[in-house]
Amino acid sequence: DLELLYSPFPGNAQSRLAPDLAALSALPDALLAGLKYGIHPAIEPRLASNAWAVSGDLTPSGKPVLAGDPHLGFQTPNLWYMARLEAPGFTRVGAFVPGVPFLLIGHNGRVAWSMTTTHSDTQDLFVETVDPNDPTRYLTPDGWRPFETRTERFQLGEEVIEHRVRSTRHGPVISDARDTAAGAAPDGTVLALASPVLAPDDGTAQALFDMAAAADAEAFIDALHGFHAPQQNVVFADTEGAIGVISAGRVPIRKSGDGFLPARGDDGSRDWIGWAAFEDLPGAVNPPGGVVANANNQVTGRNPDLDLGREFDAPYRYLRILDLLSDGDRPPARMAEIQRDTTSLFARAMLRHLVPAVDPASEPDPLVAGAVRRLQRWDGNMKVDTPEPLLFAAWIRRLQDKLFSDELGPLANDYSRARAATLIRVLTTEQAWCDDKTTDGKETCQQIIRDSLTAAISDIQRLAGTGDWKWGDLHKARFEHQIWGRIPWLGDKLIAISPTGGGDYTISRGSWGGPEDDPFRHRHGAGLRVVYDLADLDASLFSPAVGASGNLFSKFYVSWQADWAAGRTRTIPATPRETSHSLRLEP
């Protein structure tokens, strides 16, 4: 039941890029009402981020403040490295990526920006029919057409490996990528990928250069016209006081359908017929409320008929950001505090359905009764040094497994992320899913909830013993080297580990998962946090994970990890306030 397992989140007040903070108080109730009826997104864990900007009308300095923290899988060396590049008339400060000759997240002394992934559906799979009498051809609306082919050669030592690449009118045949991929296509067919990133006229590289050279917000927006792929929510502010966000990128216009499922390639019914106009994309510049924000939640185009897909992230982080922004002053230090917030609105929503199903007064197992009493009093803050987040995470993990593994079988591993909309629908209006199809009896939701908690406590005892439990005992960020980490013994010595708070739906993202012996490992989160002060960009705050050096023998390899885990920040001013180390490179 795809409709149940993947419920889209419709555009409404919760998905505005420019929210009205004065109307914020109604949002949590609206969210819970939507959950009751299963209106909620569901996505695979993948790229994610937070970003927001606040107008100078709402800050003590009278100038904007912009915050951003891109979320990715953890690794060493860190993806991001900090740099300040200076030349006459040229300033670039912030986060660079090795191999990319442009500033991706940073400021140029006049404009600052950050990004979040839009999660729009901008690529499609097409099922192409192969001519049974001539495998060099595939079917199109105009008849059989030959595949475009080329041979790519890879030098591996003394050996040269050749790989044939076929393409159709829609794009490259990805089911040719490896032998096991061929099984993804039905017999007599292949799968071709259509994606904006494959367009020969992609202008994203030039756009990144122009964004970093922009003198003000207006020039920055002009540069975003050429930002083609992948689509990103680009939040920006300038020293003149402008703020804005544009969901920049090419969005395909389809003849029909939304691209969620693979489409037939032979009849042309789902073909792309162009790109959405830039003016139709989601965006807001200098909104009346003085705030722009996104946390991968659903966005709506300025043309409401523009279809952006259905796989947006839940609005929990977004709603929590707005809640915290609506209270008190908004100086840069406060923005950094908000980035470290670990309160989970997802936990609060789920516990409304889980806790009433287990009565601690009549529960014979004292550990189960004690866990429920704790969670009854819990405010949803997934702090690193408390037991409640561990109890909740373990409970949700077992509940997810018990509800869906019998129906999904081996596919359950691909559906392991807890999805609130689906869970709440099952526990309220779709209770047939609570019955375990592998048993002769008929299980109720109340029974499954209680059994899941019992199993969760057993998991915690197995992993953390019987002493005092803390979320950080099992929820740890592990930064493993992508190459050396695969070498026995040596790889384990090079892993940098930090206990952390947060969860999948907290602003300080702490997405977890793993095998049975390490199921709560912090796998996905903010490898970088930035807060730009447009009143004094040299006072902007940066918090990168791990260290400044990619050399694993350098003392700076993991020199920033403790600061990152503790939430400490640093600046990158024009003139260093203090110098801890200098490296001079000479011819």
Side-chain angles (χ1 to χ4, degrees):
D1 188 340
L2 286 177
E3 190 277 328
L4 173 70
L5 296 176
Y6 297 94
S7 301
F9 185 80
N12 58 24
Q14 297 163 1
S15 61
R16 293 173 185 162
L17 286 165
D20 181 0
L21 292 183
L24 177 65
S25 60
L27 290 177
D29 288 339
L31 171 65
L32 293 174
L35 286 172
K36 179 179 179 181
Y37 296 102
I39 304 172
H40 203 282
I43 66 166
E44 296 284 341
R46 53 182 185 178
L47 303 179
S49 305
N50 304 312
W52 65 89
V54 179
S55 162
D57 294 338
L58 302 176
T59 67
S61 70
K63 292 289 187 178
V65 177
L66 188 154
D69 51 297
H71 303 165
L72 294 166
F74 296 138
Q75 66 180 49
T76 59
N78 194 17
L79 175 69
W80 307 102
Y81 71 92
M82 303 296 100
R84 182 180 189 110
L85 305 181
E86 294 274 6
F90 183 99
T91 299
R92 304 288 186 270
V93 184
F96 294 79
V97 171
V100 179
F102 310 108
L103 178 61
L104 292 185
I105 293 178
H107 74 80
N108 63 11
R110 300 176 301 275
V111 182
W113 65 95
S114 190
M115 306 181 193
T116 71
T117 297
T118 307
H119 286 323
S120 51
D121 191 344
T122 60
Q123 59 184 27
D124 288 353
L125 283 177
F126 286 90
V127 182
E128 310 282 19
T129 301
V130 180
D131 186 345
N133 299 314
D134 183 356
T136 67
R137 303 192 305 175
Y138 69 99
L139 188 60
T140 76
D142 301 319
W144 299 106
R145 178 187 297 186
F147 288 101
E148 296 180 16
T149 62
R150 70 180 188 274
T151 299
E152 296 185 351
R153 294 175 174 83
F154 304 90
Q155 184 84 34
L156 296 178
E158 298 298 323
E159 183 182 6
V160 176
I161 296 178
E162 293 188 348
H163 177 68
R164 183 188 63 164
V165 178
R166 294 188 291 178
S167 296
T168 73
R169 64 194 184 94
H170 295 115
V173 175
I174 63 170
S175 52
D176 284 348
R178 55 192 304 178
D179 293 341
T180 54
D187 290 342
T189 68
V190 295
L191 296 179
L193 174 67
S195 174
V197 76
L198 300 172
D201 63 340
D202 182 277
T204 306
Q206 183 65 48
L208 288 169
F209 180 88
D210 294 340
M211 289 159 57
D216 54 27
E218 183 177 358
F220 191 86
I221 295 171
D222 287 343
L224 289 177
H225 281 73
F227 192 102
H228 291 159
Q231 188 177 29
Q232 297 283 292
N233 305 309
V234 185
V235 178
F236 56 90
D238 70 12
T239 54
E240 297 301 314
I243 66 169
V245 57
I246 304 290
S247 300
R250 281 176 164 169
V251 175
I253 302 299
R254 303 173 176 90
K255 283 185 179 180
S256 64
D258 64 1
F260 182 66
L261 296 174
R264 289 182 58 174
D266 58 1
D267 63 4
S269 62
R270 302 293 178 90
D271 281 2
W272 294 2
I273 56 177
W275 308 112
F278 183 85
E279 294 72 20
D280 289 343
L281 300 176
V285 180
N286 297 324
V291 173
V292 295
N294 183 262
N296 312 113
N297 49 288
Q298 183 170 357
V299 295
T300 303
R302 285 168 284 184
N303 175 358
D305 294 329
L306 178 63
D307 187 358
L308 291 170
R310 63 174 79 178
E311 294 187 277
F312 300 94
D313 206 357
Y316 296 116
R317 287 180 286 125
Y318 173 78
L319 290 174
R320 182 63 177 170
I321 290 167
L322 298 190
D323 187 16
L324 296 176
L325 285 177
S326 68
D327 183 22
D329 292 333
R330 304 168 186 89
R334 175 58 179 157
M335 301 298 106
E337 289 178 4
I338 292 175
Q339 288 178 328
R340 301 192 298 270
D341 182 78
T342 54
T343 294
S344 173
L345 300 186
F346 167 66
R348 291 181 180 179
M350 285 303 306
L351 288 175
R352 293 180 183 225
H353 296 269
L354 299 182
V355 168
V358 184
D359 181 8
S362 58
E363 173 55 51
D365 187 331
L367 288 177
V368 172
V372 172
R373 290 191 179 98
R374 278 187 173 276
L375 293 173
Q376 284 175 332
R377 302 187 298 268
W378 185 43
D379 64 356
N381 192 338
M382 301 189 73
K383 293 190 290 187
V384 65
D385 57 353
T386 57
E388 289 85 358
L390 182 54
L391 291 169
F392 173 73
W395 196 356
I396 288 293
R397 176 174 176 266
R398 281 302 174 191
L399 179 66
Q400 179 87 4
D401 178 64
K402 287 182 177 293
L403 288 176
F404 301 116
S405 61
D406 55 326
E407 282 90 358
L408 299 181
L411 296 177
N413 289 333
D414 297 325
Y415 192 76
S416 59
R417 187 190 186 196
R419 295 162 168 83
T422 301
L423 288 174
I424 292 176
R425 285 182 65 180
V426 167
L427 299 179
T428 54
T429 62
E430 306 283 347
Q431 294 190 359
W433 283 75
C434 290
D435 179 37
D436 187 345
K437 304 299 184 185
T438 64
T439 68
D440 295 331
K442 187 175 181 61
E443 289 78 11
T444 66
C445 289
Q446 184 174 6
Q447 180 180 348
I448 291 295
I449 291 172
R450 194 265 176 196
D451 291 347
S452 297
L453 180 55
T454 300
I457 291 174
S458 296
D459 288 340
I460 297 172
Q461 289 178 315
R462 172 174 55 86
L463 296 166
T466 57
D468 293 334
W469 296 333
K470 295 179 181 178
W471 181 220
D473 291 340
L474 298 179
H475 188 252
K476 299 178 181 180
R478 294 166 56 94
F479 296 88
E480 301 182 19
H481 195 281
Q482 298 301 290
I483 297 176
W484 298 109
R486 301 174 184 272
I487 299 177
W489 185 83
L490 177 62
D492 292 338
K493 299 296 182 182
L494 297 174
I495 296 175
I497 301 175
S498 292
T500 53
D504 203 23
Y505 294 110
T506 57
I507 300 175
S508 179
R509 193 178 184 97
S511 296
W512 48 266
E516 281 293 321
D517 61 346
D518 191 15
F520 304 110
R521 178 190 302 184
H522 184 178
R523 292 185 171 275
H524 190 270
L528 169 71
R529 301 185 184 100
V530 297
V531 177
Y532 306 112
D533 182 356
L534 275 298
D536 180 7
L537 281 168
D538 279 354
S540 297
L541 306 175
F542 297 86
S543 182
V546 198
S549 174
N551 180 355
L552 59 88
F553 299 108
S554 168
K555 65 179 180 179
F556 302 108
Y557 183 60
V558 292
S559 56
W560 294 342
Q561 184 188 0
D563 288 342
W564 171 84
R568 292 187 289 268
T569 60
R570 63 192 67 248
T571 60
I572 311 177
T575 302
R577 295 183 174 89
E578 61 181 42
T579 301
S580 61
H581 181 76
S582 295
L583 174 66
R584 182 181 297 274
L585 303 178
E586 297 179 351

